Amino acid sequence: MTQSKGKVYIIGAGPGQLGYLTVWAYQLLAKAEVLIYDALIDSRVLELAPKNCQLFYVGKRGGKPSWQQSEINRLLVQQCQQGKLTVRLKGGDPFIFGRCTSEIQALIAADCQFQVVPGISSALAAPELAGIPLTDPVLSRSFAVLSGHKPSQLDWQTLAKVDTLVILMGTRQLPEIIRQLLRHDRNPETPIAIVRAAGTAEQEVWTSTLADIVEKTEDISLSPAVIVIGEAVKLRDYLVGTDERSMSQERFSYRDSFATPVGEPLIEEIGSSSFSASNFGKDNLLSGKLMSGENYPIPNADLPLKGKTILATRAAGSSKDFRDRLEKVGARVIDMPALEIGPPSTWEPLDRAIARLQDFHWLILASGNGVDYFFDRLASQGQDARALSGVKIAVVGKKTAARLKQQSIQPDFIPPNFVADSLIENFPEDISGKNILFPRVETGGREVLVKEFTARGATVEEVAAYQSGCPKTIDPAAWEALKNRQVDVITFASSKTVQYFCNLVQTKYFESQPEVESQPNLNLKSDVISTQDLSWQTLLDGVCLASIGPQTSTSSLNLLGRVDVEAREFTLDGLTQAIMDWASLAV
């Protein structure tokens, strides 16, 4: 049997947020079997890949250990020769300082098929998002794009005469760049803008002149940034609001007037299950939903979490709603998958229970995962919601109720405080002699509900509907943010996310310190990780630990020694509000 040929797609991901991704790139990511990606890629772009897609992080960040280019070349060839659809994802556009030549030459030499998919370069997007046009009939008849990585190799005599210069990878060499331009007779009063993190929630813009920009940005972390030099920078004064001009370190969100990703509503629409190449056409692009702007926040809003970076621990693939909540109030969000959800070790107990649903008086669903896996298994047995006629349903939490509603079912009972204890305390009828079916996580769930219902005379049948476990490795972006002290808040939405967060961070911490001879003794079945060396917890100094509710707080206290914020309402909305309250007091 002949093995099918693989193909490598070298794709530009755009300057930052998911909304700048092209539709072509979106389609290819949705089919990827292997995803090899660089630094500064929005984690939501990675989530577009299928669940079984193999991910390789090969990002290069200045001064830090990274893959050699020859290793990346070999990886691309290897995956392609195994017959896999491989996506090589690069920030911006692949052919603008994207180091593509070496990779393409390696693919050609190995007779591998490949195709380059253009992306939006930050060289074009960053100035535009900052309100700086690169061309103007009077102020800028031409512009040049250059890398500032090695200024000694550039022809400054020629470049000094170009109307507008756009410089990528130049912040570390900013003093030398300025020196060369002044040395070649560029006016010291020439305007300059530095656009940091363009197209993301933490975008910042500094404007000044060649004469004093170095002094005014001293001791400020500017990377990753695009530098724009030329008279056209002055046009920013006429094209953005007065509160966003000049030398301000205030961060303004990508949701502001010149930083709203035009494609974002489009991506939200095509991200639905109804999207396909055949139904995405002119009618869709001109539809009122996509063009109305109803999804656009108010420009220049005073957002309560503006400037805060939040590390959101979560189950893999499940945090979009929470992330959206936080970003709408100004936060920069870094997703950290700290929980993997999958099927149980065996379906037999659940299948037996489904076969005799008529024997049960109540069905209790304590999580969205429980809802999803129960109804998926019900469908696999050739049944649907009609099989539950005569069975009452109780759920824990609004989110669980919302998942149930997707099955066109309204729960008979939702406890007021969204936790299992409240379900017991407020149950609407006497349960003595009643049969209760409880599909739940296979291991590690709380036992209080079963014990209390049994004590009240009910017969509770527990069946495993799904299993949760710890990811094998920490997300690279999450680790970099923790290591570099860039995180203001860490959120925990369950006891297991606390437990697995500790395991992932602790393991990575000791792996990165070769002088440590022994690894900590990790016990994943315990709420207390056994190790006497707690030096890894220094990564959390000054970081707010935010919990969704009392049980999660208990785990945080046991494992991390503290919890700084606990939601009053034990929901994601409640957690968001609690963080906003904390931020208002922390100012």
Side-chain angles (χ1 to χ4, degrees):
M1 182 176 177
T2 304
Q3 185 178 16
S4 60
K5 272 196 170 185
K7 187 170 183 178
V8 176
Y9 291 91
I10 302 174
I11 296 177
Q17 291 287 334
L18 172 65
Y20 298 111
L21 196 69
T22 66
V23 176
W24 188 10
Y26 176 95
Q27 293 171 325
L28 291 170
L29 279 165
K31 298 187 293 185
E33 296 173 278
V34 177
L35 176 55
I36 302 170
Y37 65 100
D38 283 345
L40 306 179
I41 301 293
D42 185 346
S43 61
R44 288 180 296 180
V45 174
L46 305 181
E47 290 173 2
L48 296 176
K51 289 184 179 180
N52 59 350
C53 178
Q54 190 173 8
L55 272 61
F56 293 91
Y57 173 71
V58 296
K60 298 176 184 291
R61 300 296 291 146
K64 298 176 182 177
S66 57
W67 284 56
Q68 297 297 313
Q69 187 59 55
S70 59
E71 295 173 329
I72 298 174
N73 296 348
R74 283 195 294 271
L75 179 62
L76 285 168
V77 170
Q78 178 190 59
Q79 297 302 317
C80 184
Q81 289 179 338
Q82 291 177 7
K84 297 176 181 177
L85 192 160
T86 302
V87 168
R88 174 69 172 104
L89 195 61
K90 295 174 174 285
D93 181 88
F95 274 13
I96 299 182
F97 304 121
R99 298 188 181 98
C100 276
T101 304
S102 174
E103 294 175 9
I104 290 176
Q105 287 178 336
L107 292 169
I108 292 173
D111 195 27
C112 291
Q113 294 185 29
F114 71 93
Q115 191 165 2
V116 179
V117 179
I120 302 174
S121 171
S122 60
L124 302 179
E128 186 166 346
L129 293 171
I132 302 169
L134 292 182
T135 62
D136 180 80
V138 177
L139 298 180
S140 181
R141 293 185 175 89
S142 64
F143 69 90
V145 178
L146 54 141
S147 166
H149 185 55
K150 295 181 178 180
S152 62
Q153 298 180 2
L154 299 174
D155 182 358
W156 289 105
Q157 184 172 354
T158 300
L159 290 172
K161 298 174 184 177
V162 177
D163 289 344
T164 303
L165 297 177
V166 182
I167 305 174
L168 280 63
M169 300 173 285
T171 55
R172 291 191 176 189
Q173 300 293 337
L174 183 59
E176 177 61 15
I177 290 169
I178 302 299
R179 189 184 75 82
Q180 290 288 358
L181 287 171
L182 296 178
R183 178 170 170 255
H184 290 89
D185 300 324
R186 195 74 181 231
N187 187 339
E189 296 304 311
T190 300
I192 179 173
I194 300 175
V195 186
R196 180 185 180 276
T200 73
E202 57 176 356
Q203 177 173 312
E204 299 175 90
V205 180
W206 293 266
T207 61
S208 191
T209 66
L210 294 181
D212 59 9
I213 187 66
V214 173
E215 178 183 351
K216 289 185 176 181
T217 58
E218 189 176 8
D219 298 326
I220 296 174
S221 176
L222 298 175
S223 180
V226 174
I227 302 168
V228 187
I229 299 171
E231 297 300 319
V233 172
K234 291 179 178 178
L235 295 174
R236 172 176 161 79
D237 291 343
Y238 304 96
L239 299 176
V240 300
T242 55
D243 58 336
E244 292 173 13
R245 299 178 194 163
S246 194
M247 275 296 304
S248 171
Q249 291 186 41
E250 179 185 3
R251 297 180 179 183
F252 59 96
S253 167
Y254 72 89
R255 298 177 182 276
D256 289 346
S257 54
F258 268 94
T260 299
V262 176
E264 188 167 40
L266 175 63
I267 290 294
E268 290 175 359
E269 176 74 4
I270 66 176
S272 68
S273 59
S274 62
F275 172 78
S276 68
S278 61
N279 66 24
F280 185 78
K282 183 177 179 180
D283 292 341
N284 299 75
L285 289 171
L286 299 180
S287 69
K289 182 170 183 180
L290 292 181
M291 301 302 291
S292 67
E294 63 186 28
N295 294 320
Y296 289 73
I298 299 171
N300 307 320
D302 186 13
L303 302 175
L305 294 183
K306 195 172 185 179
K308 299 297 184 185
T309 296
I310 298 178
L311 185 70
T313 65
R314 57 162 176 103
S318 68
S319 73
K320 183 181 185 299
D321 289 345
F322 187 39
R323 178 176 185 142
D324 288 346
R325 285 176 173 89
L326 294 170
E327 287 188 338
K328 283 178 181 177
V329 290
R332 174 201 177 202
V333 182
I334 300 172
D335 287 329
M336 178 180 164
L339 196 66
E340 290 183 342
I341 305 298
S345 58
T346 176
W347 290 110
E348 289 183 11
L350 181 56
D351 289 345
R352 286 196 299 268
I354 287 174
R356 39 183 282 272
L357 283 174
Q358 69 279 1
D359 294 343
F360 296 99
H361 299 96
W362 281 90
L363 169 67
I364 294 181
L365 298 166
S367 70
N369 291 318
V371 174
D372 293 343
Y373 276 88
F374 175 81
F375 280 94
D376 285 350
R377 196 60 188 175
L378 187 69
S380 74
Q381 302 300 302
Q383 301 192 62
D384 56 27
R386 290 173 295 181
L388 292 167
S389 62
V391 180
K392 295 179 181 179
I393 302 176
V395 301
V396 177
K398 290 180 179 178
K399 188 174 180 181
T400 309
R403 293 280 189 92
L404 186 63
K405 192 174 181 180
Q406 292 175 5
Q407 303 292 333
S408 301
I409 299 176
Q410 292 287 349
D412 296 281
F413 176 59
I414 307 175
N417 293 326
F418 316 127
V419 290
D421 305 62
S422 181
L423 179 72
I424 298 164
E425 294 168 5
N426 297 279
F427 208 75
E429 65 180 41
D430 181 10
I431 57 174
S432 177
K434 299 293 176 67
N435 296 324
I436 297 175
L437 177 61
F438 183 22
R440 58 176 297 179
V441 66
E442 186 167 5
T443 59
R446 294 187 64 217
E447 304 298 330
V448 61
L449 191 149
V450 177
K451 289 180 179 178
E452 289 294 328
F453 277 168
T454 301
R456 297 186 184 193
T459 299
V460 182
E461 186 166 333
E462 298 177 83
V463 291
Y466 65 96
Q467 178 60 294
S468 63
C470 184
K472 294 180 181 178
T473 58
I474 190 171
D475 179 82
W479 172 246
E480 286 297 312
L482 284 169
K483 185 176 64 172
N484 295 321
R485 315 282 176 166
Q486 297 171 345
V487 176
D488 299 299
V489 182
I490 300 173
T491 66
F492 299 113
S494 71
S495 292
K496 280 195 174 181
T497 57
V498 182
Q499 184 179 335
Y500 294 151
F501 167 85
C502 293
N503 176 58
L504 290 166
V505 175
Q506 185 172 285
T507 300
K508 184 66 176 180
Y509 177 84
F510 287 107
E511 284 178 352
S512 64
Q513 301 193 39
E515 70 276 7
V516 179
E517 294 182 0
S518 60
Q519 295 292 320
N521 178 25
L522 305 179
N523 180 6
L524 295 184
K525 296 183 179 179
S526 170
D527 248 7
V528 179
I529 293 182
S530 175
T531 175
Q532 293 182 349
D533 188 348
L534 299 179
S535 59
W536 65 276
Q537 292 191 13
T538 58
L539 295 172
L540 309 183
D541 290 349
V543 178
C544 171
L545 305 183
S547 158
I548 199 169
Q551 299 305 319
T552 304
S553 295
T554 298
S555 293
S556 183
L557 286 167
N558 288 341
L559 292 169
L560 298 170
R562 63 184 171 95
V563 60
D564 303 299
V565 169
E566 182 182 294
R568 291 189 181 92
E569 179 183 284
F570 311 141
T571 64
L572 293 179
D573 284 333
L575 183 54
T576 302
Q577 184 60 54
I579 296 170
M580 289 192 291
D581 293 343
W582 165 83
S584 67
L585 296 173
V587 174

